[in-house]
Amino acid sequence: MTSVGVLGATGAVGQRFVQLLDGHPEFDVSVLTASPASAGDSYREAAKWRLDTPIPEDVAETTVRATDPEEIPDDTDLLFSALPSDVGAAVEPELCEAGFVVSSNSSNARTDEDVPLVIPEVNADHLDLIDVQRDERGWDGALVKNPNCSTITMVPTLAAIDEFGLERVHVSTLQAVSGAGYSGVSSMEILDNVVPHIGGEEAKMETESRKLLGEFTGAEVQYHDAVVSASCNRVPTLDGHLENVFVETDDDPTPADVADALADAPTLDLPSAPDPLIRVFEEPDRPQPRLDRMAGDGMAVAAGGIQTTDTGLQYNCLAHNTIRGAAGASVLNGELLASEGWL
Ligand SMILES: NC(=O)c1ccc[n+]([C@@H]2O[C@H](COP(=O)([O-])OP(=O)(O)OC[C@H]3O[C@@H](n4cnc5c(N)ncnc54)[C@H](OP(=O)(O)O)[C@@H]3O)[C@@H](O)[C@H]2O)c1
């Protein structure tokens, strides 16, 4: 078994990591970290478990450590990070320098030139950027990122549609409250309401999408030429980001061509990889967050409402933001790292 740790294990994404890693066929959780306020408490005390499956008994009495390289045993093979991005920016490079491989969900460093930003089914080859990173930074460890939750919902569909020549993408999101973390959005702000602004989210979607869809030359990632613009909205659903996507392509595919391309998106033989990657609905009112966020155990993307308009294609897509959009994405990157011999 591969010995793994979870950094920021008590938060919304950290708890998902612990849930997804419970009973994992390859990974065994040996280290849990959080803020100095939680260090020294048992995981049960510190986490205030909020998921709808019981807290895994294997880790419930584990003592939470401070998030510090000196606190991590040398024989930990892989660290999953769910740290706030400012904390990740400070600690993750120190961990990589100390020799640890970090599969991180935090938003820092996602667009650094030598940091692989990976969705395994879309751009697994970008992982080879680790060689460039190690050369440039002199690290024995490595830093690999998964994208933002709203980006990861849309990009598998764009990767499938790219066979028709992706030119322009406009997306409007309806994002669940869990995407902001446990203390992110107050109930007074979101109940009976929609907030048409999520700080920094639009820029992340626009940039990360083009990096993910870009080409790795062996030395760098050349971003995809497509123009991507996003409008991001917080809505009062608990989990599951729904997105309305408008796409202009070189070719003029029919809705049936697009449905086939989405349904045929490649899948991988990794423990957390869903099959199919994209579940395509014919019903015009699907996907919906409450009904479809757990497709493929929360790791699939759901798509539907495919139609052509005067300006091109239109469809809706959905993914579970703390599973495929966060912890599950990092776990899948960890499985890819293990299968390709990077650990
Ligand atoms: N929620 C989502 O859907 C989602 C999706 C994609 C990406 N992300 C990213 O994932 C990361 C975590 O998000 P979240 O929603 O899980 O946040 P969260 O619920 O606020 O959890 C934050 C975690 O970080 C720990 N932490 C806070 N300050 C720390 C410090 N100074 N040193 C060490 N650990 C510290 C917290 O520990 P304590 O319990 O001790 O405070 C907790 O374990 C963020 O970078 C976020 O942008 C979130």
Side-chain angles (χ1 to χ4, degrees):
M1 291 289 272
T2 300
S3 168
V4 305
V6 180
L7 314 175
T10 51
V13 177
Q15 294 192 17
R16 276 289 177 205
F17 271 117
V18 170
Q19 182 191 50
L20 295 174
L21 292 167
D22 183 34
H24 192 280
E26 297 176 0
F27 298 150
D28 184 37
V29 178
S30 55
V31 180
L32 301 171
T33 83
S35 75
S38 301
D41 290 348
S42 70
Y43 185 63
R44 190 193 300 280
E45 288 167 332
K48 298 172 192 69
W49 188 255
R50 293 175 172 95
L51 296 180
D52 58 5
T53 55
I55 185 170
E57 287 302 322
D58 285 358
V59 297
E61 302 310 324
T62 300
T63 301
V64 174
R65 301 172 190 235
T67 307
D68 180 328
E70 294 190 356
E71 291 285 323
I72 315 291
D74 290 343
D75 60 357
T76 312
D77 302 307
L78 175 63
L79 294 170
F80 293 111
S81 172
L83 294 168
S85 53
D86 57 334
V87 181
V91 174
E92 289 173 355
E94 291 178 12
L95 290 161
C96 297
E97 196 165 353
F100 296 105
V101 176
V102 181
S103 173
S104 170
N105 172 74
S106 305
S107 60
N108 54 291
R110 284 186 188 139
T111 51
D112 284 7
E113 282 185 10
D114 62 350
V115 172
L117 180 69
V118 176
I119 300 173
E121 296 96 333
V122 170
N123 64 335
D125 63 313
H126 289 204
L127 215 53
D128 290 344
L129 202 52
I130 291 173
D131 283 329
V132 177
Q133 185 186 85
R134 285 179 169 167
D135 277 353
E136 286 182 2
R137 305 201 192 203
W139 288 348
D140 289 329
L143 180 59
V144 174
K145 293 275 165 175
N146 56 267
N148 174 266
C149 47
S150 50
T151 306
I152 211 165
T153 300
M154 169 179 75
V155 165
T157 65
L158 297 181
I161 289 170
D162 201 17
E163 71 179 71
F164 305 114
L166 213 51
E167 283 194 326
R168 283 177 187 277
V169 180
H170 304 281
V171 57
S172 178
T173 69
L174 300 93
Q175 297 182 220
V177 291
S178 63
Y182 280 121
S183 49
V185 189
S186 79
S187 53
M188 288 299 285
E189 195 181 358
I190 198 67
L191 291 176
D192 186 32
N193 205 12
V194 169
V195 181
H197 173 73
I198 302 175
E201 193 85 352
E202 291 158 357
K204 286 179 195 166
M205 289 192 83
E206 291 161 7
T207 312
E208 291 177 17
S209 301
R210 296 182 51 238
K211 181 172 181 179
L212 288 156
L213 294 167
E215 189 181 336
F216 178 53
T217 63
E220 61 176 7
V221 175
Q222 290 178 344
Y223 282 34
H224 196 291
D225 286 340
V227 175
V228 180
S229 62
S231 163
C232 296
N233 304 279
R234 186 75 69 196
V235 302
T237 46
L238 284 179
D239 292 313
H241 293 349
L242 179 64
E243 304 184 353
N244 312 126
V245 191
F246 302 80
V247 180
E248 293 172 43
T249 51
D250 287 336
D251 302 339
D252 294 317
T254 65
D257 295 335
V258 173
D260 287 346
L262 295 176
D264 291 344
T267 58
L268 293 174
D269 186 19
L270 294 172
S272 301
D275 187 4
L277 169 61
I278 303 173
R279 182 170 169 194
V280 181
F281 286 93
E282 289 184 7
E283 300 90 324
D285 61 349
R286 302 286 285 277
Q288 297 179 16
R290 189 153 47 85
L291 301 181
D292 303 315
R293 60 193 168 207
M294 287 310 292
D297 292 330
M299 286 297 286
V301 172
I306 304 165
Q307 53 185 305
T308 46
T309 70
D310 287 347
T311 56
L313 285 172
Q314 180 184 339
Y315 62 93
N316 304 315
C317 58
L318 168 83
H320 196 300
N321 54 292
T322 63
I323 304 180
R324 174 50 95 157
S330 282
V331 170
L332 193 57
N333 279 349
E335 292 168 2
L336 184 68
L337 283 159
S339 77
E340 298 206 346
W342 290 103
L343 303 185

